[in-house]
Amino acid sequence: QLQLVESGGGLVQPGGSLRLSCVASGMTLGYYAIGWFRQAPGKEREGVSCISRTGDSTYYADSVKGRFTIFRDAAKNMVYLQMNSLKPEDTAVYYCAAGHWYGGNLLDYHIDYWGKGALVSVSS
């Protein structure tokens, strides 16, 4: 029974930065690959990024590549998504997920747990 809680969302101007955090309780995140997904109003959920259990492999959607960075801190049992150069189209609810990832795109990511989401709003 892993519980995930996202934090760090909020309102930011275009070009600004935010750092999302995913903190776990119940089990160590070290057992799981951690992914970030987002869903904008009226749109389908999309995969944003993923990091392997050991942290040696990562995935980024083309839309965020070069702007977002995913990393993990095993000692703190946390995973982060650093978001720079934010655009209005990044506005969405962002979800942290824990599961098993076998590389490649997130179609190969089996998700066992979801967080409840954090809203990121990019607007001037």
Side-chain angles (χ1 to χ4, degrees), residues 62-111:
D62 289 342
S63 59
V64 307
K65 194 172 299 181
R67 300 188 297 120
F68 291 11
T69 303
I70 188 170
F71 58 101
R72 61 195 307 158
D73 187 337
K76 296 181 179 180
N77 208 27
M78 297 181 70
V79 174
Y80 305 90
L81 183 68
Q82 178 67 43
M83 304 183 293
N84 298 327
S85 302
L86 284 162
K87 304 174 181 180
E89 50 263 44
D90 294 318
T91 297
V93 176
Y94 284 71
Y95 298 90
C96 177
H100 302 280
W101 182 47
Y102 304 99
N105 63 46
L106 297 189
L107 294 176
D108 298 318
Y109 186 35
H110 176 76
I111 298 170

Side-chain angles (χ1 to χ4, degrees), residues 40-56:
K43 298 182 179 179
E44 297 181 354
R45 181 175 293 170
E46 62 175 336
V48 176
S49 185
C50 191
I51 187 167
S52 65
R53 185 182 66 81
T54 61
D56 58 356

Side-chain angles (χ1 to χ4, degrees), residues 1-69:
Q1 289 185 289
L2 181 68
Q3 297 180 10
L4 304 173
V5 178
E6 304 94 338
S7 63
L11 176 64
V12 65
Q13 294 184 345
S17 298
L18 287 173
R19 179 178 289 184
L20 297 180
S21 300
C22 177
V23 63
S25 62
M27 296 178 67
T28 176
L29 284 183
Y31 293 123
Y32 302 98
I34 305 300
W36 287 96
F37 297 77
R38 67 186 182 186
Q39 188 167 25
K43 298 182 179 179
E44 297 181 354
R45 181 175 293 170
E46 62 175 336
V48 176
S49 185
C50 191
I51 187 167
S52 65
R53 185 182 66 81
T54 61
D56 58 356
S57 297
T58 57
Y59 163 85
Y60 298 96
D62 289 342
S63 59
V64 307
K65 194 172 299 181
R67 300 188 297 120
F68 291 11
T69 303

